[in-house]
Amino acid sequence: MRLLPLVAAIAVGLASAGAAFADDAPAPAHIAVRAAHLVDVQAGKVRDNPLVIIEGEHITEVRYDGQVPAGYNVIDLGSATLLPGLIDCHVHLTGDPNEVKGDYYEAVLKRSSIDSAILSPTYAKRTLDAGFTTVRNLGADDYVDIALRNAINRGDIPGPRMLVSGPPLGATGGHADGTTGFSPWIQFHDINGVADGVDAIRHRVRENVKNGVDVIKFMASAGVLSAEASVGAPQYSQEEMNAVVDEAHRWGKKVAAHAHGAEAIKMAIRAGVDSVEHSSLIDDEGLKLAKQHGTYLDFDVYNDDYILSEYAKKGFPASTVEKEKTVGRLQRENFQRAVKAGEKMAFGTDAGVYPHGWNARQFAVMTKWGMTPMQAIQAATVNAADLLGMTGKVGAVAPGYYADLVAVSGDPLGDVTQLEHVAFVMKGGDVEKNDTRR
Ligand code: ARG
């Protein structure tokens, strides 16, 4: 009760500050972006001589007659090709493998979430500069992801639009339990998502919702970077997975399930998850089920290269590298089968397992293993937006969408690695990077 006068005073202060700001606010920017080509991801084709008309944060029109309306400032990108801002459906902006400098346990035992919070804006900026204007952050301890998202949304720091999960749910001793493998006397005083049994799971989902998450993530199976013996064994019962999804959906939140093993993948799909992450060992029945349920499959198919070439050098446990060898190749083969089967697929890299800003390296692996460049680009734009529930806002260059644009100097459909060198990035009408100016 004693707080009330203070709260009222703040509210009055904000109201008058808001009014003053509204009076002084500049008129929304009127910008027209010109380029030689546009990848129209909705139509699945390239169009020439696009002119994207932007008012404030949004695109109002895309025209091809070259006529700039009166009062618009033109950003001319010359011979470049425009695309919608890219979307990565699986990142971890609160960590990076380069934090491990020869000693994994130094990084795990001598740092806290405050260290993560200090570094995460740097990773957010790298991701944005790499052309990823929207990301889904699937897993962070202590709600560091919420603070990061909020700081970006307030305009305090640059970064991509973020949907965040908070701490992922998972079983005691499983992939979400950071103390697995340590002495039973070691405890971390972190906010994590460990929850066993239906009631505890429902409570944990509600905690995450209460603290402001956009999406619920849970560990349906074991993993590579955690200490369990298996990579793919189920870690929740069917009843527990059903409870995660039922509770999350009731609160209007989509659900992403981490799952490597064939059985865990099928259990997660049957529970009604919106996406399966990793999807590594999916079998024919799993592919069929995913189709029936309309479940998105994300395959983080670049990771294997990085883990096998860098992790031992960096000082990660040898067991991690050994586990990776049991899934990496199979994951790529199964990715190819999923492409052939015509599954719903979105772009998710698990960046943070490999360095932030390298997200686009996954495109080359996706095209090597069966996608056309257009399909890979669609996975990271229209399809990703659909999975995130953001169709109409992001993932296409069209009227009403946020003015989130990237440009590359070459032809990304001829050479998808062009996307690794994005020269221009605009988010919500603000130019974040422009290397086309010389
Ligand atoms: N976060 C994942 C895990 O620990 C990374 C898996 C990387 N390997 C792969 N082949 N995608 O399980």
Side-chain angles (χ1 to χ4, degrees), residues 90 92 175 222-226 231 258 260 278 280 300-301 303-304 307 324 327-328 331 350 353:
H90 191 147
H92 298 275
H175 191 58
V224 174
L225 273 81
S226 44
V231 176
H258 157 111
H260 288 288
H278 309 298
S280 312
D300 54 328
V301 282
N303 264 336
D304 186 55
I307 293 172
E324 177 58 32
V327 284
Q331 185 186 36
D350 208 359
V353 170

PDB file of all heavy atoms in Angstrom, residues 90 92 175 222-226 231 258 260 278 280 300-301 303-304 307 324 327-328 331 350 353, ligand 1:
ATOM      1  N   HIS A  90      16.188 -20.562 -33.888  1.00  0.00           N
ATOM      2  CA  HIS A  90      16.833 -21.235 -32.741  1.00  0.00           C
ATOM      3  C   HIS A  90      18.217 -20.639 -32.502  1.00  0.00           C
ATOM      4  O   HIS A  90      19.184 -21.001 -33.174  1.00  0.00           O
ATOM      5  CB  HIS A  90      16.938 -22.738 -33.003  1.00  0.00           C
ATOM      6  CG  HIS A  90      17.343 -23.537 -31.802  1.00  0.00           C
ATOM      7  ND1 HIS A  90      16.895 -24.807 -31.565  1.00  0.00           N
ATOM      8  CD2 HIS A  90      18.157 -23.250 -30.753  1.00  0.00           C
ATOM      9  CE1 HIS A  90      17.405 -25.270 -30.435  1.00  0.00           C
ATOM     10  NE2 HIS A  90      18.186 -24.334 -29.925  1.00  0.00           N
ATOM     11  N   HIS A  92      20.892 -18.898 -29.161  1.00  0.00           N
ATOM     12  CA  HIS A  92      21.128 -18.669 -27.726  1.00  0.00           C
ATOM     13  C   HIS A  92      22.041 -17.454 -27.617  1.00  0.00           C
ATOM     14  O   HIS A  92      23.265 -17.597 -27.649  1.00  0.00           O
ATOM     15  CB  HIS A  92      21.788 -19.891 -27.085  1.00  0.00           C
ATOM     16  CG  HIS A  92      20.959 -21.123 -27.156  1.00  0.00           C
ATOM     17  ND1 HIS A  92      19.985 -21.429 -26.230  1.00  0.00           N
ATOM     18  CD2 HIS A  92      20.930 -22.135 -28.062  1.00  0.00           C
ATOM     19  CE1 HIS A  92      19.402 -22.574 -26.550  1.00  0.00           C
ATOM     20  NE2 HIS A  92      19.954 -23.022 -27.669  1.00  0.00           N
ATOM     21  N   HIS A 175      18.785 -32.850 -20.097  1.00  0.00           N
ATOM     22  CA  HIS A 175      19.502 -31.849 -20.899  1.00  0.00           C
ATOM     23  C   HIS A 175      19.330 -30.425 -20.367  1.00  0.00           C
ATOM     24  O   HIS A 175      20.142 -29.551 -20.671  1.00  0.00           O
ATOM     25  CB  HIS A 175      19.007 -31.959 -22.354  1.00  0.00           C
ATOM     26  CG  HIS A 175      19.831 -31.191 -23.334  1.00  0.00           C
ATOM     27  ND1 HIS A 175      21.182 -31.402 -23.517  1.00  0.00           N
ATOM     28  CD2 HIS A 175      19.497 -30.199 -24.199  1.00  0.00           C
ATOM     29  CE1 HIS A 175      21.641 -30.577 -24.452  1.00  0.00           C
ATOM     30  NE2 HIS A 175      20.639 -29.834 -24.875  1.00  0.00           N
ATOM     31  N   ALA A 222      17.516 -36.292 -24.587  1.00  0.00           N
ATOM     32  CA  ALA A 222      18.864 -35.941 -24.152  1.00  0.00           C
ATOM     33  C   ALA A 222      19.539 -35.110 -25.240  1.00  0.00           C
ATOM     34  O   ALA A 222      18.915 -34.805 -26.263  1.00  0.00           O
ATOM     35  CB  ALA A 222      19.656 -37.221 -23.883  1.00  0.00           C
ATOM     36  N   GLY A 223      20.789 -34.747 -25.013  1.00  0.00           N
ATOM     37  CA  GLY A 223      21.453 -33.873 -25.973  1.00  0.00           C
ATOM     38  C   GLY A 223      22.926 -34.147 -26.114  1.00  0.00           C
ATOM     39  O   GLY A 223      23.474 -35.060 -25.485  1.00  0.00           O
ATOM     40  N   VAL A 224      23.545 -33.322 -26.940  1.00  0.00           N
ATOM     41  CA  VAL A 224      24.973 -33.470 -27.228  1.00  0.00           C
ATOM     42  C   VAL A 224      25.818 -32.729 -26.194  1.00  0.00           C
ATOM     43  O   VAL A 224      26.790 -33.265 -25.673  1.00  0.00           O
ATOM     44  CB  VAL A 224      25.291 -32.928 -28.645  1.00  0.00           C
ATOM     45  CG1 VAL A 224      26.795 -32.929 -28.909  1.00  0.00           C
ATOM     46  CG2 VAL A 224      24.560 -33.748 -29.705  1.00  0.00           C
ATOM     47  N   LEU A 225      25.427 -31.507 -25.867  1.00  0.00           N
ATOM     48  CA  LEU A 225      26.278 -30.678 -25.005  1.00  0.00           C
ATOM     49  C   LEU A 225      26.050 -30.882 -23.505  1.00  0.00           C
ATOM     50  O   LEU A 225      26.653 -30.198 -22.701  1.00  0.00           O
ATOM     51  CB  LEU A 225      26.093 -29.189 -25.356  1.00  0.00           C
ATOM     52  CG  LEU A 225      27.012 -28.714 -26.494  1.00  0.00           C
ATOM     53  CD1 LEU A 225      26.455 -29.088 -27.849  1.00  0.00           C
ATOM     54  CD2 LEU A 225      27.248 -27.232 -26.412  1.00  0.00           C
ATOM     55  N   SER A 226      25.188 -31.791 -23.153  1.00  0.00           N
ATOM     56  CA  SER A 226      24.976 -32.079 -21.741  1.00  0.00           C
ATOM     57  C   SER A 226      25.637 -33.418 -21.412  1.00  0.00           C
ATOM     58  O   SER A 226      26.134 -34.093 -22.298  1.00  0.00           O
ATOM     59  CB  SER A 226      23.473 -32.103 -21.441  1.00  0.00           C
ATOM     60  OG  SER A 226      22.777 -32.819 -22.440  1.00  0.00           O
ATOM     61  N   VAL A 231      22.339 -39.482 -26.455  1.00  0.00           N
ATOM     62  CA  VAL A 231      22.058 -38.203 -27.119  1.00  0.00           C
ATOM     63  C   VAL A 231      20.559 -38.054 -27.329  1.00  0.00           C
ATOM     64  O   VAL A 231      20.018 -36.953 -27.268  1.00  0.00           O
ATOM     65  CB  VAL A 231      22.758 -38.127 -28.501  1.00  0.00           C
ATOM     66  CG1 VAL A 231      22.382 -36.849 -29.235  1.00  0.00           C
ATOM     67  CG2 VAL A 231      24.258 -38.206 -28.341  1.00  0.00           C
ATOM     68  N   HIS A 258      13.124 -29.608 -27.934  1.00  0.00           N
ATOM     69  CA  HIS A 258      14.445 -30.149 -28.288  1.00  0.00           C
ATOM     70  C   HIS A 258      14.304 -31.671 -28.354  1.00  0.00           C
ATOM     71  O   HIS A 258      13.877 -32.285 -27.370  1.00  0.00           O
ATOM     72  CB  HIS A 258      15.453 -29.727 -27.201  1.00  0.00           C
ATOM     73  CG  HIS A 258      16.667 -30.588 -27.084  1.00  0.00           C
ATOM     74  ND1 HIS A 258      17.934 -30.145 -27.442  1.00  0.00           N
ATOM     75  CD2 HIS A 258      16.824 -31.864 -26.644  1.00  0.00           C
ATOM     76  CE1 HIS A 258      18.806 -31.114 -27.222  1.00  0.00           C
ATOM     77  NE2 HIS A 258      18.168 -32.171 -26.741  1.00  0.00           N
ATOM     78  N   HIS A 260      16.377 -35.120 -30.294  1.00  0.00           N
ATOM     79  CA  HIS A 260      17.286 -35.773 -31.256  1.00  0.00           C
ATOM     80  C   HIS A 260      16.791 -37.162 -31.638  1.00  0.00           C
ATOM     81  O   HIS A 260      16.872 -37.566 -32.785  1.00  0.00           O
ATOM     82  CB  HIS A 260      18.698 -35.927 -30.662  1.00  0.00           C
ATOM     83  CG  HIS A 260      19.470 -34.662 -30.529  1.00  0.00           C
ATOM     84  ND1 HIS A 260      19.991 -33.983 -31.611  1.00  0.00           N
ATOM     85  CD2 HIS A 260      19.824 -33.940 -29.439  1.00  0.00           C
ATOM     86  CE1 HIS A 260      20.645 -32.913 -31.190  1.00  0.00           C
ATOM     87  NE2 HIS A 260      20.547 -32.857 -29.876  1.00  0.00           N
ATOM     88  N   HIS A 278      16.281 -29.705 -33.772  1.00  0.00           N
ATOM     89  CA  HIS A 278      17.343 -30.694 -34.068  1.00  0.00           C
ATOM     90  C   HIS A 278      16.810 -31.802 -34.977  1.00  0.00           C
ATOM     91  O   HIS A 278      17.360 -32.015 -36.044  1.00  0.00           O
ATOM     92  CB  HIS A 278      17.981 -31.280 -32.787  1.00  0.00           C
ATOM     93  CG  HIS A 278      18.430 -30.239 -31.821  1.00  0.00           C
ATOM     94  ND1 HIS A 278      19.406 -29.327 -32.140  1.00  0.00           N
ATOM     95  CD2 HIS A 278      18.009 -29.906 -30.567  1.00  0.00           C
ATOM     96  CE1 HIS A 278      19.578 -28.487 -31.114  1.00  0.00           C
ATOM     97  NE2 HIS A 278      18.737 -28.823 -30.151  1.00  0.00           N
ATOM     98  N   SER A 280      17.188 -34.741 -35.279  1.00  0.00           N
ATOM     99  CA  SER A 280      18.318 -35.485 -35.861  1.00  0.00           C
ATOM    100  C   SER A 280      18.012 -36.885 -36.359  1.00  0.00           C
ATOM    101  O   SER A 280      18.380 -37.258 -37.458  1.00  0.00           O
ATOM    102  CB  SER A 280      19.450 -35.564 -34.835  1.00  0.00           C
ATOM    103  OG  SER A 280      19.693 -34.302 -34.272  1.00  0.00           O
ATOM    104  N   ASP A 300      19.458 -28.172 -37.158  1.00  0.00           N
ATOM    105  CA  ASP A 300      20.633 -27.283 -37.025  1.00  0.00           C
ATOM    106  C   ASP A 300      21.842 -27.939 -37.699  1.00  0.00           C
ATOM    107  O   ASP A 300      22.804 -28.329 -37.042  1.00  0.00           O
ATOM    108  CB  ASP A 300      20.899 -26.964 -35.556  1.00  0.00           C
ATOM    109  CG  ASP A 300      21.031 -28.210 -34.685  1.00  0.00           C
ATOM    110  OD1 ASP A 300      20.364 -29.225 -34.985  1.00  0.00           O
ATOM    111  OD2 ASP A 300      21.808 -28.176 -33.711  1.00  0.00           O
ATOM    112  N   VAL A 301      21.787 -27.999 -39.024  1.00  0.00           N
ATOM    113  CA  VAL A 301      22.743 -28.857 -39.748  1.00  0.00           C
ATOM    114  C   VAL A 301      24.149 -28.283 -39.943  1.00  0.00           C
ATOM    115  O   VAL A 301      25.011 -28.980 -40.446  1.00  0.00           O
ATOM    116  CB  VAL A 301      22.187 -29.293 -41.127  1.00  0.00           C
ATOM    117  CG1 VAL A 301      21.184 -30.425 -40.971  1.00  0.00           C
ATOM    118  CG2 VAL A 301      21.592 -28.126 -41.877  1.00  0.00           C
ATOM    119  N   ASN A 303      25.981 -27.056 -37.279  1.00  0.00           N
ATOM    120  CA  ASN A 303      26.678 -27.312 -36.016  1.00  0.00           C
ATOM    121  C   ASN A 303      27.752 -28.390 -36.062  1.00  0.00           C
ATOM    122  O   ASN A 303      28.814 -28.238 -35.468  1.00  0.00           O
ATOM    123  CB  ASN A 303      25.653 -27.751 -34.959  1.00  0.00           C
ATOM    124  CG  ASN A 303      25.211 -26.586 -34.108  1.00  0.00           C
ATOM    125  OD1 ASN A 303      25.939 -25.608 -33.981  1.00  0.00           O
ATOM    126  ND2 ASN A 303      24.037 -26.679 -33.538  1.00  0.00           N
ATOM    127  N   ASP A 304      27.451 -29.478 -36.737  1.00  0.00           N
ATOM    128  CA  ASP A 304      28.365 -30.626 -36.751  1.00  0.00           C
ATOM    129  C   ASP A 304      29.776 -30.220 -37.196  1.00  0.00           C
ATOM    130  O   ASP A 304      30.767 -30.608 -36.572  1.00  0.00           O
ATOM    131  CB  ASP A 304      27.782 -31.700 -37.684  1.00  0.00           C
ATOM    132  CG  ASP A 304      28.579 -32.993 -37.651  1.00  0.00           C
ATOM    133  OD1 ASP A 304      28.765 -33.544 -36.552  1.00  0.00           O
ATOM    134  OD2 ASP A 304      29.023 -33.447 -38.726  1.00  0.00           O
ATOM    135  N   ILE A 307      31.477 -28.166 -34.294  1.00  0.00           N
ATOM    136  CA  ILE A 307      31.784 -28.946 -33.084  1.00  0.00           C
ATOM    137  C   ILE A 307      32.964 -29.877 -33.352  1.00  0.00           C
ATOM    138  O   ILE A 307      33.906 -29.957 -32.563  1.00  0.00           O
ATOM    139  CB  ILE A 307      30.546 -29.744 -32.618  1.00  0.00           C
ATOM    140  CG1 ILE A 307      29.462 -28.764 -32.132  1.00  0.00           C
ATOM    141  CG2 ILE A 307      30.903 -30.727 -31.507  1.00  0.00           C
ATOM    142  CD1 ILE A 307      28.117 -29.418 -31.818  1.00  0.00           C
ATOM    143  N   GLU A 324      28.685 -36.035 -30.523  1.00  0.00           N
ATOM    144  CA  GLU A 324      28.357 -35.355 -31.779  1.00  0.00           C
ATOM    145  C   GLU A 324      28.545 -36.306 -32.968  1.00  0.00           C
ATOM    146  O   GLU A 324      27.757 -36.310 -33.912  1.00  0.00           O
ATOM    147  CB  GLU A 324      29.216 -34.102 -31.951  1.00  0.00           C
ATOM    148  CG  GLU A 324      29.007 -33.351 -33.263  1.00  0.00           C
ATOM    149  CD  GLU A 324      27.567 -32.898 -33.483  1.00  0.00           C
ATOM    150  OE1 GLU A 324      26.868 -32.589 -32.502  1.00  0.00           O
ATOM    151  OE2 GLU A 324      27.129 -32.872 -34.662  1.00  0.00           O
ATOM    152  N   VAL A 327      25.508 -38.313 -34.109  1.00  0.00           N
ATOM    153  CA  VAL A 327      24.299 -37.705 -34.702  1.00  0.00           C
ATOM    154  C   VAL A 327      24.526 -36.823 -35.923  1.00  0.00           C
ATOM    155  O   VAL A 327      23.636 -36.690 -36.766  1.00  0.00           O
ATOM    156  CB  VAL A 327      23.484 -36.846 -33.697  1.00  0.00           C
ATOM    157  CG1 VAL A 327      22.694 -37.697 -32.751  1.00  0.00           C
ATOM    158  CG2 VAL A 327      24.341 -35.833 -32.975  1.00  0.00           C
ATOM    159  N   GLY A 328      25.698 -36.203 -36.020  1.00  0.00           N
ATOM    160  CA  GLY A 328      25.916 -35.164 -37.040  1.00  0.00           C
ATOM    161  C   GLY A 328      25.565 -35.596 -38.449  1.00  0.00           C
ATOM    162  O   GLY A 328      24.731 -34.976 -39.129  1.00  0.00           O
ATOM    163  N   GLN A 331      21.915 -36.680 -38.944  1.00  0.00           N
ATOM    164  CA  GLN A 331      21.016 -35.522 -38.960  1.00  0.00           C
ATOM    165  C   GLN A 331      20.926 -34.933 -40.376  1.00  0.00           C
ATOM    166  O   GLN A 331      19.848 -34.569 -40.843  1.00  0.00           O
ATOM    167  CB  GLN A 331      21.509 -34.458 -37.975  1.00  0.00           C
ATOM    168  CG  GLN A 331      20.557 -33.278 -37.849  1.00  0.00           C
ATOM    169  CD  GLN A 331      21.109 -32.163 -36.991  1.00  0.00           C
ATOM    170  OE1 GLN A 331      22.313 -31.877 -37.004  1.00  0.00           O
ATOM    171  NE2 GLN A 331      20.240 -31.512 -36.238  1.00  0.00           N
ATOM    172  N   ASP A 350      20.767 -22.959 -33.819  1.00  0.00           N
ATOM    173  CA  ASP A 350      21.360 -23.189 -32.495  1.00  0.00           C
ATOM    174  C   ASP A 350      22.634 -22.363 -32.329  1.00  0.00           C
ATOM    175  O   ASP A 350      23.546 -22.747 -31.595  1.00  0.00           O
ATOM    176  CB  ASP A 350      21.649 -24.682 -32.277  1.00  0.00           C
ATOM    177  CG  ASP A 350      21.601 -25.108 -30.804  1.00  0.00           C
ATOM    178  OD1 ASP A 350      21.356 -24.247 -29.936  1.00  0.00           O
ATOM    179  OD2 ASP A 350      21.828 -26.297 -30.535  1.00  0.00           O
ATOM    180  N   VAL A 353      25.991 -22.351 -30.037  1.00  0.00           N
ATOM    181  CA  VAL A 353      26.808 -23.567 -30.080  1.00  0.00           C
ATOM    182  C   VAL A 353      27.985 -23.274 -31.010  1.00  0.00           C
ATOM    183  O   VAL A 353      29.105 -23.701 -30.779  1.00  0.00           O
ATOM    184  CB  VAL A 353      25.983 -24.773 -30.579  1.00  0.00           C
ATOM    185  CG1 VAL A 353      26.863 -25.981 -30.854  1.00  0.00           C
ATOM    186  CG2 VAL A 353      24.895 -25.117 -29.574  1.00  0.00           C
TER     187      VAL A 353
HETATM  188  N1  ARG B   1      22.220 -27.962 -28.374  1.00  0.00           N
HETATM  189  C1  ARG B   1      22.318 -29.209 -29.071  1.00  0.00           C
HETATM  190  C2  ARG B   1      22.573 -30.317 -28.096  1.00  0.00           C
HETATM  191  O1  ARG B   1      23.346 -30.140 -27.186  1.00  0.00           O
HETATM  192  C3  ARG B   1      23.383 -29.136 -30.102  1.00  0.00           C
HETATM  193  C4  ARG B   1      23.427 -30.260 -31.056  1.00  0.00           C
HETATM  194  C5  ARG B   1      24.490 -30.033 -32.072  1.00  0.00           C
HETATM  195  N2  ARG B   1      24.684 -31.121 -32.987  1.00  0.00           N
HETATM  196  C6  ARG B   1      24.027 -31.308 -34.098  1.00  0.00           C
HETATM  197  N3  ARG B   1      24.385 -32.279 -34.861  1.00  0.00           N
HETATM  198  N4  ARG B   1      23.079 -30.544 -34.465  1.00  0.00           N
HETATM  199  O2  ARG B   1      22.048 -31.369 -28.211  1.00  0.00           O
END
